Structures are given as C-alpha cells and as structure tokens.
Amino acid sequence: MELRELIPAMAGLMSITGYEAYDAAALEHLMEGFDAHWTDAVGNRIYLRRCGRENAPRILIDTHFDEIGLYVSDIRDGGFLKVVPIGGLDGRTLPSADVRIYGKEVLDGVIASTPPHLKDRDAEEKVKPADELLIDTGYPTEELRELLRIGTPVGFTPRYRWLQNDRLVGKGLDNKACCAIAASALAAIPAKELAGDVYLVLAVHEETDNVGGTAVGGFAIEPDYAMVIDVNIGHAPGSKESETVQMGQGPSICRSAITDRKLTKMTERLCEREGIPWQCCVEATSTGTDTVALHLVKEGIPVVDVGLPLRAMHTYVEMLDMQDAHELVRLIRAFVCDREIGEVFAG
C-alpha cells in the first residue's frame, strides 16, 4: 500500500490508550513485509526484519501506537454520557466534536455545546475541562445502558481530507502516522542492505505515561541502539519558533541531555550525506517521548530522538505534510542500513 493511503488507514484505527488491541486484526492487514511479529505481555506489537547475518547488531525503531481519547464515566438521563480524558486533551477543542463510542456496537455521538444565544455575554467564559463535558448520543437512556458500560472508550470520528500542498488532516496522526511511515520504510529494504536485525515496536501507553510500554519492549529486545520516532509540534501563527518546527522542511532531530550525543551527531551527519533535510530542536531534560524511558533500560540504550512536524496536535484535525513523511522514510532507511553506526554501537 502506498504511504499516502497507509497513513490514514492506520491512523483511522481505534487505539485509545488501554485499548490498543481493539483493531488488531485490521492492523495486521496493513503490516506487510516483515519476517516475524508478536505481541508482548503489555500489548506492544513488535515486528522484525532480519538481515540474515549471525551476531548482527540489534536496531530498535520505536513508535507509539496509542492515541488520546475518552472513557465513559457515567450514563445520564436523556442519552448523555459523562467522560474522563485519556491523554492530554484541550477542553477548548472539544465542544461540538464528532465522536465514536466503542460499546457493544459502535455508536456515533457529538460533544454537547451551549449555543451562543444562551450564553451570558457579560460573564467571563471559562473553558470546561473534558470531565465536565457531555456527549449527546440521541439514544434513549435505557437502550444506551444496554449498549455500553462505564469505562467504554470514546474516540474522535476518523475522517480525513487532503488540503493544498499534499497536507493531510484528521485524527490519530499522533503517532500512528509515524507507525505507518516506519512500517513503509522498513518493509521495502532488501535484507542484505540492513546493517542489522531491525525491530519495529508499536508501543502502548505513551499518551498517559512516558514510561509506557516501550521500556518493556526495550528490555526484551536489548537493542544496541535505537531511534525513537514521534510527532513534533509544527509551527503555526502565534506559536514560538523556538518551541516548534517548520512544516515541509523535513524531520526534526532532538538534542537533549537524555539522547545519546554520538548517535545524534552520526544521524545528523547521515542526513547531510544523504541530502535529507532536517531540523534541530532542543529539549533540555525531557523529550516528552518514549526516549524518556527507553534510554534507561537495563545498562542504558543509546537513543536518537526524531520528530515528524505536526500541527494541531491532540485534536481531531491534526495536520502533517507528506513531504516531511517521505523525508522521514528516507531517514529511517538510511539509519537502519548505515554500517558505520552499527559498527560503532555494536562493536
């Protein structure tokens, strides 16, 4: 499947934190070209590309597969649902959002909003957090109680559209776009070109806990070195350039106290050598990604942290630029095929 089709197909799967296995069968149909795959005890999905050589380096490519969402916390009269957030949701973006409720049947709903006619124009309006909002389902209360229970997951409706200049908009691009990009990059590489055995981890629980599932995956695989790939905040009017990266100018590489300095520099040089555009970003002590946990696994894992620029993060209209996606494919392929990196970190 072409990357342009694979990204929305994978992002459209339901994988709210805690329910990453909901669309497991559909995911398997999208993951092609790997030599083996398995699911560990915490739910990480691990895919392996073998290079065919004994005692080859072990290379880990980490992406997280879970997404933000909501859990039903109460069923109210009139077919309304009270919810609690899973992951970082901004209450300003939620009113009037289309959602899907994953009960015994998949139900459609909309987050209720107050019409402007009923608002006190003189009163200071405060943003309501997610746990103070209600979902309107249109169902009679008793029927609704038959169809779902407390703890049922709720996600944004998967709806995707293309804007000008090949930019994709929709939900779940954080971080399933990176999962799709990594899968596309790795599946197409001839085994003899790989610098080692490559493990792709679609990790769980990142959105609610930076320790997440990646620590378990890293502990079991024991990679010689790793690349963590997650989305990075794309620049938009009103945002600080020092806290964002530009859309359409390639992936970012993070410099941080918790990333490996040598691996980071070698990855930057790799981009320069291969003509891959990249951007530098700085996070002093925490990248906010799986790197936080992975670099401390066992004796420590050398990690480089790479980002895909994304606008409107943690909303149902996240935006990526396909040029950045294609450049990230190139970077991943170059990284897992670079024998010099393999010799330095596995020697």
Side-chain angles (χ1 to χ4, degrees):
M1 184 180 293
E2 293 293 326
L3 185 60
R4 185 183 173 90
E5 299 172 343
L6 182 60
I7 291 176
M10 195 171 292
L13 301 178
M14 197 286 265
S15 62
I16 295 165
T17 306
Y19 287 87
E20 293 93 342
Y22 184 91
D23 274 334
L27 174 63
E28 295 312 315
H29 286 296
L30 299 176
M31 300 294 291
E32 301 176 344
F34 290 88
D35 300 307
H37 65 89
W38 61 95
T39 302
D40 65 19
V42 299
N44 296 314
R45 284 173 174 74
I46 303 169
Y47 297 83
L48 172 61
R49 284 294 320 277
R50 296 189 178 95
C51 68
R53 302 186 302 278
E54 292 188 4
N55 302 315
R58 292 188 173 202
I59 309 167
L60 172 60
I61 303 296
D62 173 273
T63 62
H64 75 84
F65 187 70
D66 63 318
E67 65 181 323
I68 58 171
L70 304 151
Y71 285 179
V72 173
S73 61
D74 195 13
I75 302 171
R76 300 289 180 86
D77 290 340
F80 289 94
L81 302 176
K82 191 172 177 60
V83 291
V84 294
I86 301 298
L89 283 166
D90 188 339
R92 295 173 298 177
T93 68
L94 297 178
S96 303
D98 291 332
V99 294
R100 284 189 174 168
I101 304 120
Y102 296 90
K104 293 179 182 178
E105 300 176 9
V106 179
L107 312 179
D108 290 319
V110 63
I111 298 180
S113 63
T114 303
H117 316 71
L118 302 180
K119 294 180 179 179
D120 185 348
R121 296 182 180 180
D122 297 325
E124 182 181 354
E125 187 173 356
K126 295 182 179 179
V127 176
K128 290 184 178 181
D131 58 6
E132 293 183 13
L133 298 173
L134 295 172
I135 294 175
D136 191 346
T137 68
Y139 278 82
T141 304
E142 292 308 312
E143 185 177 352
L144 197 58
R145 292 184 186 277
E146 293 294 322
L147 293 172
L148 56 88
R149 58 179 177 79
I150 305 302
T152 294
V154 178
F156 295 127
T157 301
R159 185 178 294 119
Y160 298 91
R161 53 201 172 102
W162 292 93
L163 303 186
Q164 293 297 311
N165 298 313
D166 222 14
R167 291 188 173 182
L168 175 64
V169 173
K171 72 95 182 174
L173 299 177
D174 175 11
N175 187 40
K176 285 175 283 186
C178 293
C179 297
I181 290 167
S184 177
L186 296 176
I189 304 172
K192 63 182 181 180
E193 295 183 14
L194 295 170
D197 292 333
V198 183
Y199 297 79
L200 170 60
V201 175
L202 307 189
V204 298
H205 301 171
E206 192 272 349
E207 293 293 1
T208 54
D209 183 356
N210 274 337
V211 173
T214 191
V216 175
F219 193 94
I221 295 168
E222 295 186 89
D224 293 292
Y225 55 100
M227 174 184 285
V228 168
I229 308 170
D230 206 337
V231 292
N232 201 347
I233 301 173
H235 184 72
S239 59
K240 295 180 180 179
E241 290 193 8
S242 60
E243 297 176 351
T244 58
V245 291
Q246 296 295 325
M247 303 285 288
Q249 295 187 20
S252 63
I253 299 176
C254 183
R255 296 180 182 178
S256 171
I258 65 171
T259 55
D260 187 88
R261 293 176 64 184
K262 181 181 292 185
L263 184 59
T264 298
K265 288 181 179 179
M266 293 185 75
T267 304
E268 292 172 357
R269 288 200 299 267
L270 179 64
C271 288
E272 300 292 345
R273 187 168 68 243
E274 297 295 326
I276 301 169
W278 63 281
Q279 306 175 65
C280 181
C281 67
V282 177
E283 294 289 348
T285 58
S286 176
T287 63
T289 69
D290 278 342
T291 299
V292 175
L294 193 61
H295 84 291
L296 292 177
V297 169
K298 283 196 168 181
E299 292 84 3
I301 299 172
V303 179
V304 59
D305 190 291
V306 172
L308 175 72
L310 190 79
R311 279 186 184 154
M313 194 182 300
H314 283 200
T315 72
Y316 46 88
V317 287
E318 295 176 332
M319 179 194 292
L320 64 77
D321 188 312
M322 283 301 295
Q323 183 62 37
D324 294 326
H326 289 302
E327 297 298 351
L328 182 52
V329 166
R330 293 180 61 208
L331 174 54
I332 295 168
R333 289 176 177 171
F335 182 82
V336 300
C337 293
D338 192 274
R339 300 296 177 93
E340 181 183 359
I341 294 176
E343 290 173 359
V344 169
F345 288 93

